[in-house]
Amino acid sequence: MRTVNVDLAETLIDFAPTETVRAFGFRESQLQGTVAAFNMLARNRVAYLADEVGMGKTYVALGVLGLLRHLQPESRVMVIAPRENIQLKWIKELQNFTRVNWRHIDNRFKSIQQGPVREPLPCRSLGEMARAAQVLDDSDIFLRMTSFSLAVSDPDTRKRHRQQLRQAIPWLGRRDLPVGDPDRFLEAYAKALN
């Protein structure tokens, strides 16, 4: 993946689309942060963004997502939020950012309907994520930390989890997800998701 410069990012993203937003004075720092985070991602395949509350980290991350999707339209994104309300807030912010801040209808990030080209899909569980990854491969997945909770102490529950995962990934055999031992089941489940 190639790196970007501020000029390219500025032609695609408007971090201050209204006078009210301009008054906050975050435009330049958000633009610089987006370019820095994107270039870190391009070089290292991972980027970390941290700042104080209210400094616009969500929009910087959405700017990175927009650049990624604009330059690599086939890329898929998974957002992991701490709680359901934050998960749903991210989806709402993605829709707002796309409509208001993304300057061009490119049919890579912004559709002709003014929203995200890829539908943001909230998933409550790993089973939903597996289904989304296989069946709804044109969506971006939004998880929350509780999505990773998987009760496996009861054998019947493990069987239900196996059945749900096999519906999403039909080529998995019953033996690929042994339900006898909880630890072995969790390891096999993680391998299947991966």
Side-chain angles (χ1 to χ4, degrees):
M1 183 163 60
R2 71 181 179 112
T3 59
V4 299
N5 59 37
V6 172
D7 293 335
L8 173 63
E10 196 167 27
T11 63
L12 297 170
I13 306 166
D14 184 359
F15 279 110
T18 66
E19 194 60 45
T20 304
V21 175
R22 275 191 286 282
F24 287 115
F26 293 143
R27 180 197 161 288
E28 190 61 34
S29 64
Q30 287 179 323
L31 186 62
Q32 294 285 339
T34 296
V35 170
F38 181 86
N39 289 340
M40 190 182 311
L41 182 64
R43 282 192 219 80
N44 305 320
R45 302 193 50 82
V46 66
Y48 182 81
L49 176 64
D51 208 338
E52 296 178 38
V53 173
M55 298 301 288
K57 294 180 299 294
T58 300
Y59 270 50
V60 168
L62 292 171
V64 172
L65 171 66
L67 290 172
L68 176 66
R69 186 56 48 67
H70 181 76
L71 296 171
Q72 291 188 320
E74 73 285 354
S75 61
R76 296 197 60 199
V77 173
M78 180 183 295
V79 174
I80 303 172
R83 295 180 308 279
E84 180 183 18
N85 64 325
I86 305 296
Q87 175 192 32
L88 299 176
K89 182 181 183 296
W90 264 83
I91 291 170
K92 180 182 171 196
E93 293 297 341
L94 170 62
Q95 293 164 337
N96 290 337
F97 179 86
T98 306
R99 183 176 42 79
V100 175
N101 299 88
W102 195 259
R103 294 180 188 261
H104 303 285
I105 295 172
D106 55 7
N107 284 322
R108 294 176 180 188
F109 183 63
K110 185 175 189 172
S111 72
I112 59 173
Q113 291 83 18
Q114 303 293 316
V117 168
R118 290 188 183 246
E119 177 188 356
L121 184 66
C123 294
R124 294 172 298 194
S125 68
L126 291 173
E128 284 184 17
M129 185 205 77
R131 181 182 172 278
Q134 294 299 318
V135 178
L136 304 169
D137 62 353
D138 60 341
S139 298
D140 287 327
I141 296 172
F142 288 74
L143 296 166
R144 53 187 180 246
M145 291 304 291
T146 56
S147 304
F148 294 94
S149 296
L150 197 63
V152 296
S153 59
D154 177 54
D156 290 333
T157 304
R158 292 192 296 271
K159 288 177 185 175
R160 280 195 302 276
H161 288 308
R162 176 175 66 188
Q163 180 182 358
Q164 183 185 34
L165 191 59
R166 288 186 68 215
Q167 287 174 348
I169 310 171
W171 56 88
L172 284 174
R174 291 169 54 95
R175 284 191 260 176
D176 294 327
L177 294 165
V179 295
D181 176 72
D183 291 331
R184 285 190 60 213
F185 178 77
L186 281 175
E187 185 177 334
Y189 194 96
K191 285 179 182 178
L193 283 178
N194 193 29

